[in-house]
Amino acid sequence: MGDKSIIYGDFSEAPSRSEVQIVRFTAFAQDSDQFWENGSLSAFYISNFWETYFRSLKQYTRADIRDSVRYIAAELIGNAVKYSAIPEVSIKITFNLNTPEFRIFAINKVESAKAEAYKNFIERLLTGNPEKMYIDQMEKNAADRNWQSSIGFLTIMLDYDCQLAWKFKSDDDVNTLTTTTMVCLPITGKYLSNSGEPGNGSCWQKV
Amino acid sequence: MEVVGKKFSVRFDVQTATISFNGILDVRGKEGYQPIVALFDAVVERQPELITLDVRQLEFLNSSGIATIGSGLVIKVRNNGHIRLSICCSDKYPWQRRSMKGICKLMPGIELRFD
C-alpha cells in the first residue's frame, strides 16, 4: 500500500477503532443537483450532530464549532461532488482523545488524468503563502469575472486555522485514484461537554 | 431588485442602499451566483455614497459565495473609488466573523459591524 500512495502534508490515517471513528457518511445519487443538495444536507447534519458533544470555551463556542464543521464538511463534500470520477463520497469524522485534534476526512475517487493538476494545486497550497494566494485569487476572479471559488481550501486554512493533508492511492482501475483529504481542527478534549476532565471519553460509547 | 432561490434571498433596498442576504446560500459556483453578481453590478452602477451589506440573517455561505461577495462586490466597490462599504454581521452565526476577516482585507476602510 505504501508504495502506491502519495502523501502531501502531515497526513495520518483515520483511526479504524469504532470508539474513535464516530461518523461515516456516504452520499450518492444519480442526479448531480440532487447529489449537491444531499451534500449540503449532510454537512448540516454532521455539524448539528457534533455540536452536541462540545461545550463553549474561550477560543471556540459550541456555535462556532457547529459553523466550523458545517463549512469544512460542505467544502470537502462540494469538492468531492464536483471532481469525483463516480458520484460517491465518504466523510469520516474522528475525534481522537489521544491526539489534540478533531479531524475530518473526505474520501472519493478522481480520474487519474485529472489528478496531476490537483496535485500541482496542492503543492502550491502547501508551499505558498496562503494569505497572498487568497487575495491573488480574489483579484483574479474579479478581473476574469469568474465566480468559481478556488478559495475553499484557503479559507479552511486561514479562517478556521486548520491543517490540511492529502493522500492519493492507486486503485485497481488505472483510470481512477482514491484521494483522502484530511482537515485537522484545533479543537481538543477540553471542549467535550460531558466532563470538565479532558480525556474522559464516556460520551463516545453512546455513538 | 432581488434574487430569490430555494433556500435564500438577496434583496436590494434602494432607499437605504442596503443589500440584505437571508437563508442558506450554498449554490454551485459560477453559474449559480451569476444572478447575484448581476444585482451587485446594478447596485454599484447606481453610485450610492455608501452600500450596506447586511448578512445578519444569512445562516450559511459557502466558499463560492465568499468569492462572489469578495470579487463581485468588494473589489468592484474598491475599484470604483467613490463608494464606501459597510457590512452588518451577527455573532449568532460565528462563521460571519471568520469569513469577513478575509473579505475585509480586500478593501481598506470597510466598516464591519456586529450585533
Side-chain angles (χ1 to χ4, degrees), chain A residues 132-148:
Chain A
K132 183 177 183 308
M133 290 173 77
Y134 173 94
I135 290 169
D136 288 350
Q137 188 62 50
M138 286 286 205
E139 298 287 353
K140 185 174 185 307
N141 287 354
D144 298 346
R145 290 188 64 79
N146 177 0
W147 322 115
Q148 192 118 18

Side-chain angles (χ1 to χ4, degrees), chain A:
Chain A
M1 178 177 141
D3 60 337
K4 287 188 174 180
S5 296
I6 300 174
I7 302 291
Y8 294 92
D10 190 12
F11 186 89
S12 54
E13 296 290 344
S16 56
R17 286 162 52 212
S18 60
E19 68 270 30
V20 179
Q21 179 188 325
I22 308 301
V23 176
R24 181 170 179 160
F25 194 92
T26 303
F28 59 91
Q30 295 301 316
D31 174 74
S32 65
D33 287 337
Q34 190 186 344
F35 190 32
W36 184 265
E37 187 55 29
N38 283 349
S40 172
L41 289 170
S42 302
F44 178 72
Y45 157 73
I46 289 167
S47 63
N48 279 275
F49 175 89
W50 278 96
E51 182 191 4
T52 62
Y53 285 91
F54 294 97
R55 60 178 174 155
S56 295
L57 287 178
K58 197 176 176 187
Q59 190 188 355
Y60 279 96
T61 62
R62 283 181 68 185
D64 196 10
I65 291 172
R66 178 201 65 211
D67 277 13
S68 300
V69 172
R70 184 175 187 180
Y71 183 82
I72 293 162
E75 288 301 317
L76 294 181
I77 294 170
N79 272 344
V81 169
K82 275 189 268 185
Y83 303 116
S84 278
I86 56 170
E88 185 173 306
V89 54
S90 296
I91 298 294
K92 199 181 282 188
I93 317 279
T94 70
F95 189 87
N96 188 342
L97 296 175
N98 298 317
T99 61
E101 285 157 356
F102 181 63
R103 293 188 289 169
I104 303 176
F105 295 82
I107 303 134
N108 63 292
K109 289 184 186 295
V110 296
E111 289 175 38
S112 304
K114 293 179 180 171
E116 282 311 308
Y118 189 23
K119 289 175 186 172
N120 289 339
F121 174 72
I122 289 168
E123 281 180 8
R124 288 202 305 277
L125 205 60
L126 293 175
T127 57
N129 176 336
E131 196 164 317
K132 183 177 183 308
M133 290 173 77
Y134 173 94
I135 290 169
D136 288 350
Q137 188 62 50
M138 286 286 205
E139 298 287 353
K140 185 174 185 307
N141 287 354
D144 298 346
R145 290 188 64 79
N146 177 0
W147 322 115
Q148 192 118 18
S149 145
S150 304
I151 57 162
F153 289 142
L154 287 166
T155 52
I156 289 173
M157 294 165 84
L158 292 167
D159 297 344
Y160 293 90
D161 306 315
C162 293
Q163 299 293 318
L164 286 129
W166 288 264
K167 183 176 81 169
F168 289 78
K169 184 174 174 295
S170 302
D171 290 337
D172 292 336
D173 179 353
V174 294
N175 296 312
T176 64
L177 292 170
T178 297
T179 69
T180 304
T181 307
M182 182 186 81
V183 177
C184 290
L185 290 87
I187 297 172
T188 63
K190 67 184 179 184
Y191 287 94
L192 288 176
S193 60
N194 69 324
S195 168
E197 293 296 317
N200 181 340
S202 61
C203 68
W204 310 122
Q205 282 134 37
K206 295 178 194 167
V207 180

Side-chain angles (χ1 to χ4, degrees), chain A residues 32-33 36-37 40 60 63-64 67 70-71 74-75 131 134 138-139 141-142 145 147 149 159-160, chain B residues 7 26 28 30 34 37 41 59-61 63-64 66 71-72 75 78 93-95 98 101-103 105:
Chain A
S32 65
D33 287 337
W36 184 265
E37 187 55 29
S40 172
Y60 279 96
D64 196 10
D67 277 13
R70 184 175 187 180
Y71 183 82
E75 288 301 317
E131 196 164 317
Y134 173 94
M138 286 286 205
E139 298 287 353
N141 287 354
R145 290 188 64 79
W147 322 115
S149 145
D159 297 344
Y160 293 90
Chain B
K7 297 185 288 187
D26 63 354
R28 285 195 243 193
K30 212 167 182 177
Q34 200 59 52
V37 173
D41 288 347
E59 179 185 325
F60 182 82
L61 182 68
S63 67
S64 293
I66 293 169
S71 303
I75 290 176
R78 183 201 67 196
Y93 300 118
W95 70 263
R98 291 181 175 276
K101 194 172 57 178
I103 283 176
K105 287 181 181 153

